[in-house]
Amino acid sequence: MVQVVFEKVSKAYGDTVAIPGLDLVIESGEFVSLLGPSGCGKSTTLRMLAGLEQPSSGSIRIGDRDVVNLAPAARDIAMVFQSYALYPHMTVAENICYPLKKRGVAKADRAIKLAEVAALLQLEPLLARKPGQLSGGQQQRVALGRALVREPSVFLLDEPLSNLDASLRAHMRAELIELHRRLGKTMVYVTHDQLEAMTMSSRIAVMRAGELQQFAPPDEIYNRPANVFVAGFIGTPAMALADGSLADGGGHLVVHVGSLAVALPFAANGVRPDAVTVGIRPEDVLVGEGPWQAQVRLVEPTGYETIVALDADGLALTARVPGSNALRVGETVAFDLRRERIHLFDKSDGRRWEPAGR
Amino acid sequence: MKKRPAWIASLVAWPIVLLIAFPLLWMLITSVKPAAELFSTSPTLLPKAITFEHYVRVLTDTPFLQYFANSMILATSTTIVVISISVLGAYSLVRFAYPGRETLASLVLFTYLLPSVVLISPLYLMLVSIGLANTLASLVIAYTTFALPYALWLLRSFMAGIPQDLESAAMVDGASRMGAFVDVVLPQALPGIISTALFTFILAWNEYLYALVLVNSDEARPLTTGVMTMLISAFNIEWSLLMAASVLMSVPLIIIFAFFQRHLTSGFGAGGVKG
């Protein structure tokens, strides 16, 4: 079993603190994505795990070994880089065999391994070529091959798909999911693309400014974001966030947001924050009929659905409407909300607040 | 753009080539002319008779071979010393963060900006005091002082162009820092190393001033000063021998260029990382 554990890991560059203190436990066989905007410390975290950066303090364990003072070579990891980092002067075969050669694997065994990996990734016709003669997608597969060949206990992937075009990216995403399923190895995947994180991960670690915001399976990240940042970061189009307050409306919890007073299907008992941030996902805004009116500000048809920006008396909302809807800018429409799915965050600390009975 | 016919380019290029190459051609022609023809009152462009007697005399009657060996040892050792130090030094300047790194790099450049004449006297005194005056080693040290800064800067820019991810990948793949340097950085920097080595070799091979000042015995004299002192005296210049010696002096450089040009051009286009 190969667990990866970060314990109070911090990293500072001079006076700049990139990661103030990270605690993270990645279970054996998990596919974990480190997700966040640029500069959130996700790549630094991965590079510390790889041994390419030294943490300022804290411990990192792979399996039962503390690896902080081990060289990258001794950590039993393989890494795929965003730039692929294929050795330009070596052929594809030499690139893939390099990690084996460095570990003193006999030539005959190297050939067997190479054949296996080449078959798995359909690289056989390319083995004699140099990286410069390959397309982006092929280079990507060679980089994967070089990581796979050694059968490491942990795979590290640093934005491996970001240099590919959109269709190839979708294809490689599927291949990576399949690969993880087949190998069952621990994979740590850095990305700023939430679609990649949502589709591939068993759990997502959302990071911001070096701090872990939430570490949970994709559906929980989406449906129960732990704070305002995660709520606004995950989901396209983004969740509408607005200031509001809570009140007791005859035993029911009532949230006042903008000029709206929304009665929620929850009891109003227990302690509740004075001020809240109210989050409403676009799919929870139901356009057509309902108790409230809003003006259409923007219509973005995507074919399969239409994204509509609404203005409900100063409250900005986004709605998803199925198909190519005939809504016009400036038109006034009636709408309702899926009240049980409204997200509430304590305004004082930004944390998610759950009403009693949810 | 429409391509111009090749003959126009030739028409422009060849006269320029001839103009530049004429002194070399004249050197070659003079070296094979009999002495009598050399001083005839109606000078000839092409020799009436070709003779190799001057070459034979240079090689057998003069210490030319001794000087040649000196020059060869001198240029080769200088190149080896300069390249070994500058390859590692440039790598350190590019990859490692330490206080004063940029200052160090600028200081190195500053020494290159100083005219070498300024350094010659202090260098001579220093070499005398460590007992190296009048030896080949003194010249190796002297040449290193001015070839090294340039080599460092040249290689630094070459190495800065090598993506760091390549070394990171090599280290994750099982190489040590030094292993990654040897397996990945050196092959990538090879075109730069070859051109820097070539530059250093030529510099050492052609250097005159330091050789003149620092060395005055035949045991340690390189070709540049050696040929001059043996063939040019106050009363007489042995033109034929001088030209023959000059031709022989140029041969090594021509061979080296012919051989490494292929490496230089093939080195540049190869590889490259996407992204």
Side-chain angles (χ1 to χ4, degrees):
Chain A
M1 295 310 259
V2 188
Q3 214 183 25
V4 175
V5 181
F6 287 81
E7 211 172 87
K8 298 191 179 66
V9 173
S10 75
K11 176 72 187 174
Y13 299 94
D15 291 339
T16 319
V17 178
I19 296 170
L22 180 69
D23 288 291
L24 191 68
V25 179
I26 297 167
E27 298 299 337
S28 185
E30 257 194 317
F31 191 121
V32 165
S33 292
L34 305 180
L35 176 67
S38 359
C40 73
K42 54 192 193 296
S43 278
T44 306
T45 304
L46 194 74
R47 291 175 64 84
M48 287 196 293
L49 180 55
L52 299 170
E53 304 254 7
Q54 190 71 8
S56 307
S57 69
S59 85
I60 302 174
R61 289 199 304 278
I62 299 176
D64 45 17
R65 293 188 305 165
D66 188 326
V67 296
V68 165
N69 292 315
L70 290 183
R75 295 188 178 199
D76 198 18
I77 47 165
M79 185 158 169
V80 178
F81 291 79
Q82 182 176 5
S83 64
Y84 314 140
L86 300 178
Y87 312 126
H89 56 289
M90 299 184 196
T91 62
V92 168
E94 286 165 345
N95 261 284
I96 294 177
C97 285
Y98 183 78
L100 298 178
K101 203 170 149 190
K102 279 283 134 182
R103 279 176 171 71
V105 176
K107 207 169 177 188
D109 297 336
R110 294 209 295 259
I112 296 170
K113 285 275 176 207
L114 173 65
E116 279 174 24
V117 168
L120 181 70
L121 296 169
Q122 292 136 40
L123 289 171
E124 288 106 332
L126 308 175
L127 290 179
R129 295 210 204 155
K130 295 266 176 79
Q133 300 164 292
L134 304 179
S135 70
Q138 290 168 333
Q139 294 190 359
Q140 167 73 80
R141 292 217 302 278
V142 177
L144 271 175
R146 191 175 64 185
L148 288 176
V149 74
R150 220 180 65 222
E151 298 173 11
S153 50
V154 181
F155 285 93
L156 312 182
L157 302 105
D158 188 2
E159 310 217 17
L161 305 185
S162 58
N163 285 344
L164 301 177
D165 61 54
S167 66
L168 199 54
R169 202 179 305 165
H171 175 72
M172 285 308 293
R173 222 162 51 210
E175 280 198 16
L176 274 176
I177 296 171
E178 170 62 16
L179 206 59
H180 176 249
R181 198 188 56 76
R182 205 163 356 164
L183 299 171
K185 290 282 173 86
T186 311
M187 294 193 178
V188 185
Y189 188 98
V190 162
T191 182
H192 63 265
D193 182 329
Q194 49 171 296
L195 185 65
E196 286 175 17
M198 295 295 282
T199 50
M200 297 195 284
S201 318
S202 40
R203 278 196 291 171
I204 301 175
V206 183
M207 293 181 72
R208 176 206 196 185
E211 298 199 54
L212 188 62
Q213 304 290 307
Q214 187 171 8
F215 185 36
D219 67 316
E220 190 178 332
I221 296 262
Y222 188 81
N223 293 317
R224 291 169 50 83
N227 58 32
V228 175
F229 173 78
V230 178
F233 186 71
I234 301 285
T236 328
M239 179 189 284
L241 292 164
D243 290 344
S245 60
L246 296 174
D248 186 341
H252 275 292
L253 194 63
V254 175
V255 56
H256 293 275
V257 56
S259 60
L260 274 49
V262 188
L264 301 182
F266 307 114
N269 51 10
V271 199
R272 54 177 183 266
D274 305 326
V276 289
T277 302
V278 181
I280 304 164
R281 288 223 183 265
E283 58 270 32
D284 299 331
V285 178
L286 309 164
V287 174
E289 44 192 76
W292 301 294
Q293 303 277 308
Q295 211 176 26
V296 177
R297 278 181 35 241
L298 192 65
V299 179
E300 297 174 283
T302 65
Y304 146 80
E305 64 179 10
T306 304
I307 312 296
V308 185
L310 298 173
D311 182 349
D313 206 6
L315 173 68
L317 292 171
T318 310
R320 286 171 190 265
V321 181
S324 308
N325 203 280
L327 289 173
R328 298 242 180 78
V329 174
E331 191 178 344
T332 302
V333 292
F335 72 95
D336 201 351
L337 299 171
R338 283 209 184 93
R339 301 165 191 229
E340 74 285 0
R341 291 183 50 89
I342 287 177
H343 304 265
L344 297 169
F345 306 94
D346 189 332
K347 188 147 167 37
S348 62
D349 58 6
R351 290 227 190 101
R352 180 176 190 83
W353 181 78
E354 293 284 10
R358 166 112 90 184
Chain B
M1 209 171 85
K2 218 178 139 193
K3 220 179 158 191
R4 290 192 203 90
W7 63 267
I8 293 186
S10 306
L11 209 66
V12 178
W14 277 107
I16 297 175
V17 170
L18 281 179
L19 198 69
I20 293 169
F22 185 75
L24 298 174
L25 205 64
W26 192 246
M27 172 180 88
L28 196 65
I29 290 165
T30 308
S31 73
V32 292
K33 273 182 189 169
E37 195 183 328
L38 198 63
F39 293 105
S40 78
T41 44
S42 54
T44 49
L45 183 61
L46 293 174
K48 292 196 187 84
I50 289 178
T51 173
F52 290 102
E53 57 177 311
H54 311 308
Y55 287 90
V56 175
R57 270 190 64 201
V58 163
L59 292 175
T60 53
D61 295 357
T62 67
F64 180 87
L65 284 177
Q66 167 77 53
Y67 300 152
F68 189 90
N70 287 346
S71 269
M72 210 35 126
I73 294 169
L74 179 59
T76 311
S77 337
T78 306
T79 306
I80 291 171
V81 170
V82 166
I83 291 300
S84 339
I85 299 175
S86 61
V87 164
L88 292 170
Y91 182 69
S92 143
L93 284 177
V94 168
R95 279 294 180 265
F96 299 117
Y98 43 86
R101 180 176 69 161
E102 281 308 310
T103 321
L104 194 71
S106 327
L107 272 177
V108 163
L109 186 68
F110 184 70
T111 63
Y112 183 65
L113 295 177
L114 282 177
S116 48
V117 183
V118 175
L119 300 173
I120 206 161
S121 304
L123 204 57
Y124 177 71
L125 293 175
M126 280 160 73
L127 289 168
V128 167
S129 69
I130 57 172
L132 280 178
N134 221 0
T135 61
L136 275 178
S138 72
L139 287 180
V140 171
I141 293 173
Y143 293 178
T144 302
T145 61
F146 56 81
L148 189 60
Y150 189 80
L152 259 176
W153 270 79
L154 210 62
L155 283 172
R156 185 171 120 117
S157 58
F158 257 100
M159 294 212 180
I162 301 173
Q164 194 162 5
D165 274 359
L166 288 181
E167 291 151 71
S168 301
M171 283 176 3
V172 170
D173 282 347
S176 60
R177 165 70 74 171
M178 208 55 204
F181 177 74
V182 172
D183 289 349
V184 174
V185 177
L186 281 187
Q188 289 303 298
L190 197 61
I193 294 173
I194 290 179
S195 31
T196 311
L198 218 54
F199 166 83
T200 311
F201 190 91
I202 293 167
L203 200 79
W205 186 265
N206 289 338
E207 209 285 330
Y208 183 78
L209 186 63
Y210 279 70
L212 192 67
V213 174
L214 298 183
V215 160
N216 55 18
S217 75
D218 273 353
E219 285 72 48
R221 204 170 266 157
L223 273 175
T224 44
T225 54
V227 167
M228 292 297 158
T229 44
M230 80 184 178
L231 298 175
I232 302 175
S233 63
F235 309 103
N236 183 29
I237 299 175
E238 296 256 20
W239 283 112
S240 306
L241 291 189
L242 189 60
M243 290 305 126
S246 301
V247 170
L248 290 173
M249 250 177 97
S250 318
V251 167
L253 291 191
I254 292 170
I255 292 174
I256 288 172
F257 253 108
F259 181 70
F260 278 114
Q261 197 186 20
R262 216 157 28 97
H263 284 254
L264 281 177
T265 45
S266 76
F268 281 121
V273 176
K274 200 180 168 180

